[in-house]
Structure formats: structure tokens, C-alpha cells
Amino acid sequence: MISKVKDCFNASNEEFSDWNWQYRHRITTVEELEKLIPLSEPEKEDIRKALEVFPMAISPYYASLIDPEDPGCPIRMQAVPLLAELQKSSWELEDPLCEDSDSPSEESCITHRYPDRVLFLISNRCGMYCRHCTRKRRVGNREYDYSEKVIREGIEYVREHPEVRDVLLSGGDALLVSDERLDWLLRELFDIPHVEIVRIGTRAPVTLPQRITPELCEILGKYPSVWLNTHFNHPKEITPEAKKAMNMLSRAGIPLGNQSVLLRGVNDCPTIIKKLCHELLRIKTRPYYLYQCDLSFGLEHFRTSVARGIEIIEMLRGHTSGLAVPTFVVDAPGGGGKIPVGPNYLISNSDNGVTLRNYEGVICMYSEPAEYSAVCPQKCSICDKHPGLKSDTGLAKLYDEENDIISLEPEGLERKLRF
Ligand SMILES: *Cc1c(COP(=O)(O)O)cnc(C)c1O
Ligand code: SF4
């Protein structure tokens, strides 16, 4: 398909490997798309309707990975709209993760949900608009472009919150800002003494691998601890171009991770996910999360059962390298954050031990030590030196001996209000 795409755009090899060229030539209309893949009249009509809600933009490179003969091609399904996107179900939400309500203000680019880290949105652009995007309401929508002023306010927020040690740059795609802006932002953030790491969330290695240039790698490699998470969903996406991009990043010393979304008809199969995770390890990329599809508008046709995700983990853990096993998470509707779910390995426990099972079905008993009570090692001074390390959120409250709380209760319990 790649030569067809190049011909269609009349692109030289040099142009095709330039990310600005790729970005400028993204396929955004039905007319452009039908030059590359056969589309029936009803299909075209459906795509036009779907485009009224969420734009299409496919980099020529990503489009070149589509199998034009296969309507169920996993690349195509992530890139080309379907009428099903317009279907609204009562449980679908515009902002299912409540990212807006965990923000300091409406215009802010910060979501501060967890105690010690923030999500910092810096761009509204992407190499491709994924049909399964959870931030559909923002991505590609001009209203949400992040001005320098908003980004400066984000930096100030981090500066004023000493508990924030980890900043996740995302968007849109965090690599779709200029090298200069990224360099400036990283410098500002690492100038803040309490910022220990900065994570970059980007799908560029997958949809626009040309974005990974030697200049970019030099910038990312300059700072003490930049991590990068990308978003491969299918082994077909790990092409020579993608491998080259990831290799350049790892040579620059950037630790690499991957976050996949479980998508019906795309990758909801243990064999596909296993192959994907094996291929990721070969490009020095650690499978980090596998996400259950969110309850955003128009994603119903992509959603699988949670059970399928658990089954996939069951088929990985023990069967293959532990490094190849991501954590399967459901991002809780209502802003509860990521909740890990997986198979149960703990069968039971008795006074003297726990009963466990392994991936083969072997059941074993692990005897607990006869006498054990956790004691704080006398000479350790970590707590004194770093009081912030001690968590007082959730169950940590129950476990804290200095606290006499014995239960956690939701607000407004009916029986408490009764008398
Ligand atoms: C996912 C996420 C994070 C980071 O979570 P980790 O589990 O540390 O990777 C931080 N903030 C928000 C709002 C998130 O959605
Ligand atoms: S790259 Fe990420 S933010 Fe952009 S459309 Fe895809 S999933 Fe959404």
C-alpha cells in the first residue's frame, strides 16, 4: 500500500519521511480516503455523517498500513469513522473520567487526581484521530487549544504544589508541539526542585513515527528523567518505521512504555495481545497498561466485556515473560482513576497459611511465619526525612496506627442520618 499512497500524494521519499509533510497531508475527507480504499456510496454517506461529530485525520504513513481489501483491518478500524460513533447509549458520558472536574479551573490544562502526580495537557493535536479516543470532546476541537498562557499557568500550578513529583505531559499528543516549546517546557519543569520525573504520552511512534527526529531525541535525552509512553494496539503497527523511531528514543536513554486499549474487533484476543507484547519487548518497550475501553460517547461498538480483559491476562501471566504482561485497568467512571483488575490467584487462607493457585492450575499452600508482626526498623530515617512519602489516602488511613479510624464510610450514609 505504501507505494500507492506515495503515488497518490505524489510524494518523494524525502517528503514522506518528513513529519511536517505527513502532518500537513493528513487525510481528512471522504474524497481523499476513497482514492486509497474502496468505499461504497452508503459507506461514504456514513463516514460523512460521522465526521460531523469527530473529525478524521489519518497521516499518509498510517493510511499506508491499511489493508484496502479488508473492511475489518485493525488499522482501518482505528482510523476510519463508522456510523456507530453516532450511537449514544444512556450510560455513555462526555467526560467519563471527570478530567474536567479534577481541574483547578475550566481553562486549566491540569488534572490533579492522584496525590503526587498530575496530568498536564499541552497539545490538542494528533498525528491521527483515533476512532476510540477517550478525549474525543477535546481532541481536534479548536476551543481546547492550549495557549502559552494556559501552559504557563500549568507550570505555575506544578511549582505551587510541592507534592507533585511526577508530571505527565499529554494531549492530544504531547509530541505535536514544536521542539522549541517542548525544550522550554521541560526546562521549566525540571527547574522545579520537587519535579522528579516527566512522562510524555504520545502516539507519534505509531501514527507519525517521522516525528521522532535526532533533534527531538537530543532534547529529550538532555533532561535527567524523561519517560515516554506510547500507544500501540496491534502488532501490525510495529513497522520498520515505528521500530526505528523507538530505537532512536531508547538510544537517547528514554525508558519506553506502552498503553494499549482493548478494542472489540481490533485486539480483543489473547493471541494478538501476546504477539503485541512480545513485539514491544523486542523494541525495548514495556507493556504498561491495557485499558478497558471507556464510557465515552460513541465507543459502544468498540467495547468488550471486562471479563475478556481478565481472560487475556489469565492467558499471559505465567504463560509468557512477566515483562510482557501489562496491568489491565478500568478507568473508573466518575473520576475514581485506574482500577486494576485481573484473575484471582489467592484461593483461600487459614490460620497458618494462604492457598494459592498458579497459571497451570497447581494449588499450593504457603505457610505464614509462626510469629510475625511488622515493626518499624529502628534506625531507618526515611520517614523523618520524607514525611510526604507516607500516604494518608484510602486504606492507608485504616492501616495507620497513629490513627484511630476503623472504617471508611461514604458521605451521607442513610443509616447515619436516620436518628
Ligand atoms: C493515568 C493518570 C495518571 C497516571 O497514573 P499512573 O498509574 O501513575 O500511570 C495521572 N493522572 C491522571 C488524571 C491519569 O488519568
Ligand atoms: S493519539 Fe491519543 S489523544 Fe490523539 S486521538 Fe489518538 S487516542 Fe486520542
mmCIF file of all heavy atoms in Angstrom, residues 126 128-130 133 139 172 203 231, ligand 2:
data_model
loop_
_atom_site.group_PDB
_atom_site.id
_atom_site.type_symbol
_atom_site.label_atom_id
_atom_site.label_comp_id
_atom_site.label_asym_id
_atom_site.label_seq_id
_atom_site.Cartn_x
_atom_site.Cartn_y
_atom_site.Cartn_z
ATOM 1 N N CYS A 126 -3.082 15.658 17.033
ATOM 2 C CA CYS A 126 -2.607 14.287 16.973
ATOM 3 C C CYS A 126 -2.226 13.968 15.539
ATOM 4 O O CYS A 126 -2.767 14.563 14.612
ATOM 5 C CB CYS A 126 -3.686 13.305 17.420
ATOM 6 S SG CYS A 126 -4.205 13.585 19.122
ATOM 7 N N MET A 128 -2.940 11.261 14.166
ATOM 8 C CA MET A 128 -4.163 10.667 13.666
ATOM 9 C C MET A 128 -5.210 10.780 14.760
ATOM 10 O O MET A 128 -4.865 10.662 15.930
ATOM 11 C CB MET A 128 -3.933 9.197 13.346
ATOM 12 C CG MET A 128 -5.226 8.568 12.893
ATOM 13 S SD MET A 128 -5.223 6.805 12.806
ATOM 14 C CE MET A 128 -5.186 6.276 14.477
ATOM 15 N N TYR A 129 -6.454 11.006 14.369
ATOM 16 C CA TYR A 129 -7.517 10.987 15.367
ATOM 17 C C TYR A 129 -8.048 9.575 15.485
ATOM 18 O O TYR A 129 -8.720 9.083 14.589
ATOM 19 C CB TYR A 129 -8.638 11.946 14.983
ATOM 20 C CG TYR A 129 -8.197 13.393 14.984
ATOM 21 C CD1 TYR A 129 -8.670 14.293 14.045
ATOM 22 C CD2 TYR A 129 -7.295 13.846 15.941
ATOM 23 C CE1 TYR A 129 -8.250 15.620 14.052
ATOM 24 C CE2 TYR A 129 -6.871 15.156 15.948
ATOM 25 C CZ TYR A 129 -7.350 16.033 15.008
ATOM 26 O OH TYR A 129 -6.920 17.329 15.022
ATOM 27 N N CYS A 130 -7.724 8.946 16.615
ATOM 28 C CA CYS A 130 -8.143 7.562 16.816
ATOM 29 C C CYS A 130 -9.645 7.528 17.024
ATOM 30 O O CYS A 130 -10.187 8.330 17.784
ATOM 31 C CB CYS A 130 -7.470 6.980 18.053
ATOM 32 S SG CYS A 130 -5.694 7.230 18.022
ATOM 33 N N CYS A 133 -10.768 7.299 20.671
ATOM 34 C CA CYS A 133 -10.177 8.242 21.629
ATOM 35 C C CYS A 133 -11.139 8.574 22.758
ATOM 36 O O CYS A 133 -12.302 8.880 22.538
ATOM 37 C CB CYS A 133 -9.786 9.531 20.921
ATOM 38 S SG CYS A 133 -9.010 10.697 22.053
ATOM 39 N N VAL A 139 -10.014 16.588 21.624
ATOM 40 C CA VAL A 139 -9.020 16.439 20.568
ATOM 41 C C VAL A 139 -9.566 16.957 19.241
ATOM 42 O O VAL A 139 -10.682 16.669 18.856
ATOM 43 C CB VAL A 139 -8.606 14.959 20.466
ATOM 44 C CG1 VAL A 139 -7.897 14.670 19.178
ATOM 45 C CG2 VAL A 139 -7.732 14.593 21.652
ATOM 46 N N GLY A 172 -4.600 15.291 23.366
ATOM 47 C CA GLY A 172 -3.835 15.287 22.138
ATOM 48 C C GLY A 172 -2.535 14.488 22.313
ATOM 49 O O GLY A 172 -2.464 13.568 23.079
ATOM 50 N N ARG A 203 1.273 9.241 20.783
ATOM 51 C CA ARG A 203 1.067 8.138 19.836
ATOM 52 C C ARG A 203 1.912 8.350 18.582
ATOM 53 O O ARG A 203 1.764 7.617 17.612
ATOM 54 C CB ARG A 203 -0.430 7.998 19.497
ATOM 55 C CG ARG A 203 -0.758 6.562 19.231
ATOM 56 C CD ARG A 203 -2.162 6.187 18.913
ATOM 57 N NE ARG A 203 -2.135 4.739 18.677
ATOM 58 C CZ ARG A 203 -3.035 4.043 18.020
ATOM 59 N NH1 ARG A 203 -4.109 4.643 17.545
ATOM 60 N NH2 ARG A 203 -2.911 2.739 17.843
ATOM 61 N N HIS A 231 1.389 4.181 22.431
ATOM 62 C CA HIS A 231 0.059 3.550 22.357
ATOM 63 C C HIS A 231 -0.040 2.671 21.106
ATOM 64 O O HIS A 231 -0.645 3.059 20.128
ATOM 65 C CB HIS A 231 -0.955 4.721 22.379
ATOM 66 C CG HIS A 231 -2.401 4.354 22.194
ATOM 67 N ND1 HIS A 231 -3.407 5.301 22.235
ATOM 68 C CD2 HIS A 231 -3.026 3.197 21.935
ATOM 69 C CE1 HIS A 231 -4.574 4.733 22.026
ATOM 70 N NE2 HIS A 231 -4.380 3.456 21.832
HETATM 71 S S1 SF4 B 2 -3.442 9.904 19.662
HETATM 72 FE FE1 SF4 B 2 -4.353 9.747 21.706
HETATM 73 S S2 SF4 B 2 -5.297 11.735 22.100
HETATM 74 FE FE2 SF4 B 2 -4.897 11.590 19.885
HETATM 75 S S3 SF4 B 2 -6.793 10.811 19.019
HETATM 76 FE FE3 SF4 B 2 -5.453 9.035 19.428
HETATM 77 S S4 SF4 B 2 -6.072 8.324 21.483
HETATM 78 FE FE4 SF4 B 2 -6.868 10.431 21.220
#
